Protein backbone atom coordinates (compact mmCIF):
# COMPACT_ATOMS: atom_id res chain seq x y z
CA UNK A 1 0.00 0.00 0.00
CA UNK A 2 1.43 3.36 -1.00
CA UNK A 3 0.44 6.52 0.75
CA UNK A 4 -1.22 9.08 -1.44
CA UNK A 5 1.01 12.04 -2.21
CA UNK A 6 -0.11 15.16 -0.48
CA UNK A 7 1.37 18.54 -1.17
CA UNK A 8 1.26 21.82 0.68
CA UNK A 9 2.46 25.25 -0.40
CA UNK A 10 5.05 26.00 2.27
CA UNK A 11 5.38 29.64 1.12
CA UNK A 12 1.67 30.29 1.43
CA UNK A 13 1.51 28.61 4.84
CA UNK A 14 4.38 30.79 6.08
CA UNK A 15 3.01 33.98 4.56
CA UNK A 16 -0.46 33.47 6.02
CA UNK A 17 0.61 31.75 9.25
CA UNK A 18 -1.75 28.95 8.36
CA UNK A 19 -2.03 25.43 9.66
CA UNK A 20 -2.84 22.38 7.62
CA UNK A 21 -3.53 19.00 9.13
CA UNK A 22 -4.65 15.55 8.21
CA UNK A 23 -4.61 11.82 8.84
CA UNK A 24 -2.90 9.10 6.87
CA UNK A 25 -2.99 5.33 7.42
CA UNK A 26 0.23 4.05 8.99
CA UNK A 27 0.24 1.16 6.50
CA UNK A 28 1.34 3.57 3.76
CA UNK A 29 4.55 4.57 5.57
CA UNK A 30 6.66 1.70 4.27
CA UNK A 31 10.06 3.20 5.18
CA UNK A 32 8.92 3.76 8.76
CA UNK A 33 7.50 0.23 9.02
CA UNK A 34 10.64 -1.46 7.73
CA UNK A 35 11.95 -3.70 10.50
CA UNK A 36 8.97 -3.10 12.79
CA UNK A 37 6.58 -5.86 13.90
CA UNK A 38 3.22 -6.25 12.19
CA UNK A 39 0.99 -3.25 12.85
CA UNK A 40 -2.71 -2.90 13.42
CA UNK A 41 -4.74 -0.19 11.71
CA UNK A 42 -3.11 2.85 13.22
CA UNK A 43 -3.45 6.32 11.75
CA UNK A 44 -0.81 9.03 11.58
CA UNK A 45 -2.09 12.45 12.67
CA UNK A 46 0.00 15.29 11.33
CA UNK A 47 -0.06 19.06 11.10
CA UNK A 48 2.17 21.73 9.61
CA UNK A 49 2.01 25.37 10.66
CA UNK A 50 3.66 28.20 8.76
CA UNK A 51 5.33 31.18 10.43
CA UNK A 52 7.10 34.34 9.32
CA UNK A 53 9.13 36.22 11.91
CA UNK A 54 9.93 39.94 12.13
CA UNK A 55 13.13 39.39 10.14
CA UNK A 56 11.15 37.88 7.29
CA UNK A 57 12.52 34.39 7.97
CA UNK A 58 9.99 31.70 7.20
CA UNK A 59 9.42 28.57 9.23
CA UNK A 60 7.26 25.50 9.24
CA UNK A 61 6.47 23.62 12.45
CA UNK A 62 5.72 19.99 11.81
CA UNK A 63 3.96 17.80 14.34
CA UNK A 64 3.04 14.16 13.90
CA UNK A 65 1.92 11.33 16.11
CA UNK A 66 0.91 7.72 15.74
CA UNK A 67 0.78 4.65 17.97
CA UNK A 68 3.20 2.04 16.65
CA UNK A 69 3.45 -1.56 17.80
CA UNK A 70 6.98 -2.30 19.01
CA UNK A 71 8.61 -5.27 20.68
CA UNK A 72 9.81 -4.50 24.19
CA UNK A 73 13.51 -5.38 24.35
CA UNK A 74 13.28 -6.28 28.03
CA UNK A 75 10.27 -8.62 28.20
CA UNK A 76 9.90 -9.30 24.43
CA UNK A 77 6.17 -8.63 24.40
CA UNK A 78 4.50 -6.27 21.94
CA UNK A 79 3.25 -2.93 23.09
CA UNK A 80 1.85 0.25 21.56
CA UNK A 81 4.32 3.10 21.69
CA UNK A 82 3.00 6.65 21.30
CA UNK A 83 5.45 7.87 18.67
CA UNK A 84 5.42 11.62 18.29
CA UNK A 85 7.57 14.31 16.84
CA UNK A 86 7.67 18.07 16.62
CA UNK A 87 10.24 20.04 14.66
CA UNK A 88 10.53 23.66 13.67
CA UNK A 89 12.23 23.97 10.32
CA UNK A 90 13.46 27.09 8.61
CA UNK A 91 12.31 27.31 5.03
CA UNK A 92 14.92 28.18 2.45
CA UNK A 93 14.65 28.69 -1.29
CA UNK A 94 17.82 27.05 -2.57
CA UNK A 95 19.89 23.93 -1.98
CA UNK A 96 22.88 26.27 -1.54
CA UNK A 97 21.34 27.65 1.66
CA UNK A 98 20.99 24.13 3.05
CA UNK A 99 24.62 23.36 2.18
CA UNK A 100 25.72 26.59 3.86
CA UNK A 101 23.87 25.58 7.02
CA UNK A 102 25.41 22.10 7.01
CA UNK A 103 28.90 23.56 6.49
CA UNK A 104 28.42 25.96 9.41
CA UNK A 105 26.75 23.65 11.90
CA UNK A 106 28.29 25.35 14.94
CA UNK A 107 25.11 26.51 16.65
CA UNK A 108 22.90 23.65 17.83
CA UNK A 109 20.02 26.11 18.34
CA UNK A 110 19.85 26.89 14.64
CA UNK A 111 16.76 25.21 13.23
CA UNK A 112 17.18 22.65 10.48
CA UNK A 113 16.77 24.12 7.03
CA UNK A 114 14.18 22.76 4.68
CA UNK A 115 13.86 23.45 0.99
CA UNK A 116 10.42 25.04 0.62
CA UNK A 117 8.14 24.41 -2.31
CA UNK A 118 4.74 25.32 -3.66
CA UNK A 119 4.15 21.58 -4.00
CA UNK A 120 5.86 20.27 -0.90
CA UNK A 121 5.47 16.53 -0.27
CA UNK A 122 4.40 16.74 3.35
CA UNK A 123 3.97 13.03 4.09
CA UNK A 124 7.57 12.25 3.13
CA UNK A 125 8.72 14.82 5.68
CA UNK A 126 6.28 13.40 8.26
CA UNK A 127 7.74 9.95 7.64
CA UNK A 128 11.36 11.20 7.92
CA UNK A 129 10.62 12.91 11.22
CA UNK A 130 8.79 9.89 12.67
CA UNK A 131 11.71 7.63 11.72
CA UNK A 132 14.06 9.95 13.63
CA UNK A 133 11.74 9.78 16.65
CA UNK A 134 11.71 5.96 16.84
CA UNK A 135 13.39 4.70 20.03
CA UNK A 136 16.63 2.79 19.42
CA UNK A 137 15.80 0.29 22.15
CA UNK A 138 12.02 0.17 22.63
CA UNK A 139 11.05 -0.75 26.18
CA UNK A 140 8.01 -0.55 28.41
CA UNK A 141 8.51 2.03 31.12
CA UNK A 142 7.48 -0.77 33.45
CA UNK A 143 7.19 -4.22 31.94
CA UNK A 144 3.73 -5.58 32.71
CA UNK A 145 4.54 -9.31 32.52
CA UNK A 146 5.80 -9.85 36.06
CA UNK A 147 3.11 -7.92 37.98
CA UNK A 148 0.45 -9.52 35.77
CA UNK A 149 1.65 -13.01 36.65
CA UNK A 150 1.60 -12.15 40.34
CA UNK A 151 -1.88 -10.74 40.02
CA UNK A 152 -3.28 -13.81 38.28
CA UNK A 153 -1.73 -16.26 40.74
CA UNK A 154 -3.09 -14.21 43.64
CA UNK A 155 -6.45 -14.03 41.90
CA UNK A 156 -6.69 -17.79 41.47
CA UNK A 157 -5.96 -18.29 45.17
CA UNK A 158 -9.06 -16.46 46.25
CA UNK A 159 -11.24 -19.07 44.50
CA UNK A 160 -10.30 -21.89 46.85
CA UNK A 161 -10.00 -21.94 50.66
CA UNK A 162 -6.52 -21.57 52.11
CA UNK A 163 -5.05 -24.61 53.94
CA UNK A 164 -5.31 -22.65 57.20
CA UNK A 165 -9.02 -22.08 56.74
CA UNK A 166 -9.49 -25.79 56.11
CA UNK A 167 -7.54 -26.60 59.30
CA UNK A 168 -9.65 -24.18 61.30
CA UNK A 169 -12.81 -25.91 60.07
CA UNK A 170 -11.42 -29.32 61.10
CA UNK A 171 -10.51 -28.06 64.58
CA UNK A 172 -14.07 -26.92 65.21
CA UNK A 173 -15.34 -30.52 65.22
ZN1 LIG B 1 8.43 -4.98 28.54
Amino acid sequence: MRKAALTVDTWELARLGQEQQGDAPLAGFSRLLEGLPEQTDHVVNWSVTGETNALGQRFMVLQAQVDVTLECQRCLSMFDYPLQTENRLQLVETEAEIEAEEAGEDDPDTPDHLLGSSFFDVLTLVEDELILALPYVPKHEVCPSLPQELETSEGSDTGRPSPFAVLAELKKD
Side-chain angles (χ1 to χ4, degrees), residues 83-101:
L83 183 63
Q84 51 186 313
T85 182
E86 174 170 353
N87 199 4
R88 185 165 180 268
L89 301 144
Q90 184 171 355
L91 297 169
V92 296
E93 289 181 41
T94 63
E95 292 279 359
E97 289 174 85
I98 294 185
E99 283 161 23
E101 183 229 354

Side-chain angles (χ1 to χ4, degrees), residues 103-118:
E105 218 167 345
D106 40 3
D107 183 1
D109 292 334
T110 308
D112 290 335
H113 286 191
L114 181 72
L115 191 62
S117 167
S118 303

Side-chain angles (χ1 to χ4, degrees), residues 8-18 50-52 56-60 90-94 97 114-120:
V8 299
D9 184 340
T10 60
W11 308 123
E12 277 293 282
L13 284 184
R15 190 171 66 82
L16 302 169
Q18 275 179 347
E51 265 176 49
T52 304
Q57 294 172 316
R58 291 169 288 186
F59 298 89
M60 191 165 77
Q90 184 171 355
L91 297 169
V92 296
E93 289 181 41
T94 63
E97 289 174 85
L114 181 72
L115 191 62
S117 167
S118 303
F119 302 97
F120 186 82

Side-chain angles (χ1 to χ4, degrees), residues 162-173:
S162 80
F164 302 106
V166 173
L167 270 179
E169 280 298 307
L170 288 173
K171 279 180 181 169
K172 271 188 202 168
D173 295 331

Side-chain angles (χ1 to χ4, degrees), residues 10-85:
T10 60
W11 308 123
E12 277 293 282
L13 284 184
R15 190 171 66 82
L16 302 169
Q18 275 179 347
E19 179 182 333
Q20 196 162 336
Q21 54 180 298
D23 303 323
L26 177 61
F29 291 72
S30 52
R31 285 186 298 128
L32 172 64
L33 294 178
E34 214 168 279
L36 295 188
E38 200 170 322
Q39 305 289 316
T40 43
D41 290 339
H42 294 301
V43 169
V44 177
N45 299 304
W46 60 267
S47 72
V48 286
T49 309
E51 265 176 49
T52 304
N53 69 10
L55 300 172
Q57 294 172 316
R58 291 169 288 186
F59 298 89
M60 191 165 77
V61 178
L62 175 130
Q63 285 180 300
Q65 59 194 42
V66 60
D67 285 342
V68 288
T69 304
L70 298 177
E71 183 181 40
C72 172
Q73 296 303 293
R74 198 155 37 197
C75 70
L76 301 182
S77 63
M78 300 294 174
F79 70 111
D80 278 355
Y81 178 86
L83 183 63
Q84 51 186 313
T85 182

Side-chain angles (χ1 to χ4, degrees), residues 97-153:
E97 289 174 85
I98 294 185
E99 283 161 23
E101 183 229 354
E102 283 169 357
E105 218 167 345
D106 40 3
D107 183 1
D109 292 334
T110 308
D112 290 335
H113 286 191
L114 181 72
L115 191 62
S117 167
S118 303
F119 302 97
F120 186 82
D121 177 0
V122 71
L123 292 183
T124 295
L125 178 65
V126 166
E127 186 164 28
D128 288 343
E129 295 290 328
L130 286 174
I131 288 170
L132 290 175
L134 273 176
Y136 285 113
V137 183
K139 273 190 290 205
H140 289 108
E141 287 201 16
V142 178
C143 288
S145 57
L146 190 57
Q148 246 173 28
E149 273 167 26
L150 288 178
E151 261 170 36
T152 48
S153 64

